[in-house]
Amino acid sequence: MESALGPPEKMAARRSELTPMMGQYFDLCEEYDDALVLFQVGDFYEAFCEAAEAVSRTCEVALTAREDSTGEYPMAGVPIDSAASYIEDLLDAGYRVAVADQVQDPDEASGVVDRAVTRVVTPGTLTEDELLAPGENNFVAAVAGETGKASQFGVAFLDVSTGDFVATSVRDVSSVRDELARFAPAEAILGPLVPADVVPSDVTISPFDDGAFDSEAAGEQLTRHLRGGAQALASDVEVRACGALLGYAEYARGGAEGDLDYLTHLTRYDPRDHMILDEVARESLELFEPRSVHGAEGTALVDVLDETACALGRRRLTDWLRRPLVDAAAIEARLDAVAELTESVVAREGLHDELKGVYDLERLITRVSRGRADARDLRSLHATLDRVPDVRETLADAESERLAELRERLDPLDDVRDLIDSAVRENPPAEITEGEILKPSFDEELAELRATERAGKEWIDSLEAEERELTGIDSLKVGHNAVHGYYIEVTNPNLDAVPEHYQRRQTLKNSERFVTPELKEREDEILSATARADDLEYELFQEVRRAVAGEVARVQALADALATLDVLASLATVAAEHGYVRPEVGSDGIDVEGGRHPVVERSLSSFVPNDTHLGDNAKLAVITGPNMSGKSTYMRQVALVSVLAQLGSFVPAESAELPVLDRVFTRVGASDDIAGGRSTFMVEMSELATILRDATENSLVLLDEVGRGTATTDGLAIAQAITEHLHDETRAFTLFATHHHELTEVADSLAHATNLHFAAADTGEDGVEFDHRISRGAATASYGVDVARAAGVPNSVVARSRDLLADLEAREEDLVEETETDVTESDDSLPADARETLRDVDLAAMTPLEAMNVLADLKDRLDD
Ligand code: ADP
């Protein structure tokens, strides 16, 4: 967040002299001193003084000035019609924006128009459609900490645009991080005692009143907004997180009353009911965001799974991927439904077609509930409800329990649909205060007013013919303009024939315009009927909107069922079109035949499928092979197949038997950033620490190169110790890709470990080519030389390399023998003090220059 602007000093100095309008601005700035106030003046939102400079700089709009009796103030404004994109710029620059609207009709104001802050826009509390991605949630998170000894945290997430509201509690800071990574909120508020570093770096931390996290205040918020909601929560920290979030949502809606009614349900979840995918795993498995490779955008897993038809489905799919299940029965229930839809093209495509016409019910009903929906929104709701019977119809023969249950939950809300249809016109205008939005038949008084209006207009329509006949002027015309209203126009040559009772209104070059007392009377009648009808429509519309808002929970339940159906149909489509099979979930080991990487296979014309067998015989596999041979693709593929299965999807393989994994850990990528030096090594080690601490025998651990950020010997030592620990103690499913050839011997020596490898290169026409086929056993130590040969390095050099390699290997063996005798007795050995120096150096803590100095010093001593 940018530093708060506060009220302008220049104005503070002469507060009492300010004009009423500027005084109003100043007061609002004072009240919302942690936000940038946008102040409505007619069709613009204006900012003054420092705020004006910020708006001008950030939104690239002109900085002007306003002058009044008290002085000159810098001013910058943005048009209200396109305010959303400017507000987005301000949010991006780190400001909170308090929107102060005119809340009084300027015509009715005696002095300065009343203004009030109607919302405070923050990154996590957006409701403007233009700023929200349709298929994505936009969460704000709250974290509350325990004051007592036992560390405990309550974590809650709220999407104010959809009403999604979930909460949990966890025991330690790293689990808080995991849950925050899971929901990827746009913004977070933290209670007292909660360290800021629980929040991932891309999330804005917003300051908020500590008092909102107080148990009592939070509890009150909950009972006020969610009847019975507080009882559903398991602990005090959850109550405090949820209550504070509601307080924040209230703050964000500004002074507007009663508009959190759409927050009808709060779902409590237990992280243990879901596979844990922490921030590191999410990123390295590219579940939601592709990593850009050499600047080119890749594809994320969620994208290859997304055949959803509507925004509701896309958000639900993301949620399932965020929280794969660990309950085998729940997984099977989803798989049954997907299986049934995979078999029936008709049901699957029928569903998809119907769901394409479904509007974003969650955001629609939120707008309805907040009193922000227009007539078009209600028609969109109607159009969606209209589809529901057809959606049910496509599921008429559904047999799986899940589909049958969803079918029963598809309530077409006939009452709501009929109410909207009887009230709201079919293609209403966007503006709701100017009439023409309701059907006259909806209300007796409205019908009468519109009838009066129509009769008047009909009378005027027939007036032209009547007056022509009466006056004998064939060119006589009846017209209307905004300033003078209705008139009768007669061209100059015919002015003699104008009757007595015509009253002159306007003289034009070639004609004169007249009114008659009767025309005037009729016109007034039409005008007052229209004005009253328009006002009445607005009132009635608000009534209808409130009535619909009263059914918010039913609409949300329907949205929930539609969202789930959309995801199930999407998963079935992917399965059918990309040759996925139903996995068997709940076995002891991982047994996959012909597995494929769901994302990589889409971008390659021929992907080579590979098997995986990890279980009691061998739960840990060391994978060797040259760069680019397919090691990391293979490891990720094994993880992704499990993630897919546990979210209820079929998997890209010929067959798959899978255990229920509690968590996937990844430690990937050190080889790409060795240049990062010590800090990278620290990151690597802290990731490893997490793995060694938290992995269980039901976890899958992917290690892609370990210990490269330090000297070879201690890197290798660490790698070996980790391998042994994972094998002996943790017993997690482990895939370990490495360049440390020595690790293959370690794997050979362990009872439940095995070696796998990707073979060295064959010469393709354009240089190196791999067959990407995984095989048992370790890669040969000389694959580097093989790759060199395949890449076209001259034969003489390759031959020389082989000789040198053989030499080196022989020497290594000699060295081992020497070490086994006593090195100190050798004449070539280092002097004792030099060896001591060597033993004491801390390589991981040294800069290359320091290392050089030590080396030079040692050399000096040898030369002595
Ligand atoms: P490594 O980890 O061994 O360096 P990668 O897994 O990054 O290798 O794979 C390198 C490239 O090889 C990938 O970008 C991909 O295009 C291709 N590749 C990997 N696995 C396969 C496969 N099974 N079938 C076809 N191409 C593959």
Side-chain angles (χ1 to χ4, degrees), residues 595-597 600 603-604 606-610 625-637 704 737 739 758 770-773:
R596 310 184 309 270
H597 189 297
V600 175
S603 62
L604 294 179
S606 62
F607 186 90
V608 180
N610 278 308
N627 274 340
M628 295 302 286
S629 59
K631 299 184 297 297
S632 45
T633 306
Y634 177 75
M635 293 201 301
R636 288 182 169 90
Q637 157 187 323
D704 198 347
H739 280 91
F758 283 92
F770 297 103
D771 67 4
H772 304 300
R773 219 172 288 280

Side-chain angles (χ1 to χ4, degrees), residues 613-621 733 751-754 776:
H613 299 285
L614 288 178
D616 266 354
N617 288 339
K619 231 180 155 181
L620 180 150
F733 294 96
H752 304 288
T754 185
R776 289 184 183 286

Side-chain angles (χ1 to χ4, degrees), residues 512-828:
E512 298 275 341
R513 287 178 178 173
F514 302 90
V515 290
T516 66
E518 199 182 5
L519 177 57
K520 204 65 217 135
E521 199 179 300
R522 287 291 189 158
E523 180 174 7
D524 290 347
E525 220 172 83
I526 295 171
L527 283 178
S528 77
T530 309
R532 273 172 55 207
D534 290 353
D535 287 351
L536 183 58
E537 277 198 23
Y538 182 54
E539 270 168 41
L540 290 169
F541 176 77
Q542 286 175 303
E543 267 173 40
V544 171
R545 193 167 62 186
R546 274 193 294 273
V548 175
E551 304 304 325
V552 56
R554 285 165 73 206
V555 175
Q556 286 171 336
L558 173 64
D560 181 65
L562 290 170
T564 303
L565 279 172
D566 196 10
V567 179
L568 292 170
S570 175
L571 293 177
T573 304
V574 173
E577 289 181 1
H578 298 278
Y580 287 17
V581 295
R582 177 172 183 157
E584 268 178 48
V585 180
S587 65
D588 292 335
I590 298 179
D591 286 288
V592 178
E593 300 285 340
R596 310 184 309 270
H597 189 297
V599 180
V600 175
E601 76 162 335
R602 298 278 184 100
S603 62
L604 294 179
S605 52
S606 62
F607 186 90
V608 180
N610 278 308
D611 301 346
T612 307
H613 299 285
L614 288 178
D616 266 354
N617 288 339
K619 231 180 155 181
L620 180 150
V622 169
I623 307 176
T624 40
N627 274 340
M628 295 302 286
S629 59
K631 299 184 297 297
S632 45
T633 306
Y634 177 75
M635 293 201 301
R636 288 182 169 90
Q637 157 187 323
V638 174
L640 292 176
V641 163
S642 276
V643 169
L644 286 178
Q646 286 179 234
L647 75 84
S649 168
F650 280 23
V651 299
E654 279 160 33
S655 72
E657 287 174 33
L658 302 165
V660 174
L661 299 177
D662 58 4
R663 180 163 181 172
V664 175
F665 291 91
T666 60
R667 166 57 225 155
V668 169
S671 55
D672 302 333
D673 39 34
I674 293 172
R678 179 159 194 256
S679 63
T680 305
F681 184 62
M682 273 302 291
V683 171
E684 181 180 341
M685 288 303 125
S686 67
E687 286 180 15
L688 278 171
T690 307
I691 296 175
L692 297 177
R693 192 186 60 222
D694 294 340
T696 73
E697 59 178 353
N698 296 317
S699 306
L700 172 65
V701 177
L702 305 185
L703 301 173
D704 198 347
E705 207 52 84
V706 163
R708 291 199 95 198
T710 182
T712 318
T713 38
D714 65 352
L716 175 58
I718 291 169
Q720 175 165 352
I722 285 169
T723 309
E724 288 170 358
H725 184 89
L726 287 170
H727 177 270
D728 302 342
E729 308 289 330
T730 317
R731 304 212 192 107
F733 294 96
T734 306
L735 293 174
F736 192 162
T738 183
H739 280 91
H740 289 304
H741 201 258
E742 294 82 346
L743 274 192
T744 61
E745 286 159 30
V746 176
D748 278 338
S749 71
L750 296 172
H752 304 288
T754 185
N755 275 300
L756 299 173
H757 74 280
F758 283 92
D762 286 326
T763 311
E765 285 186 5
D766 305 317
V768 192
E769 213 174 68
F770 297 103
D771 67 4
H772 304 300
R773 219 172 288 280
I774 198 155
S775 316
R776 289 184 183 286
T780 61
S782 63
Y783 63 66
V785 180
D786 292 338
V787 174
R789 177 184 55 82
V793 171
N795 280 339
S796 57
V797 176
V798 172
R800 173 76 180 134
S801 305
R802 284 201 198 288
D803 289 348
L804 287 172
L805 182 65
D807 250 19
L808 283 169
E809 277 167 351
R811 234 193 287 170
E812 232 168 62
E813 272 161 34
D814 289 351
L815 257 177
V816 174
E817 277 162 27
E818 264 179 41
T819 320
E820 280 163 0
T821 60
D822 195 340
V823 189
T824 47
E825 284 172 12
S826 159
D827 282 349
D828 293 339

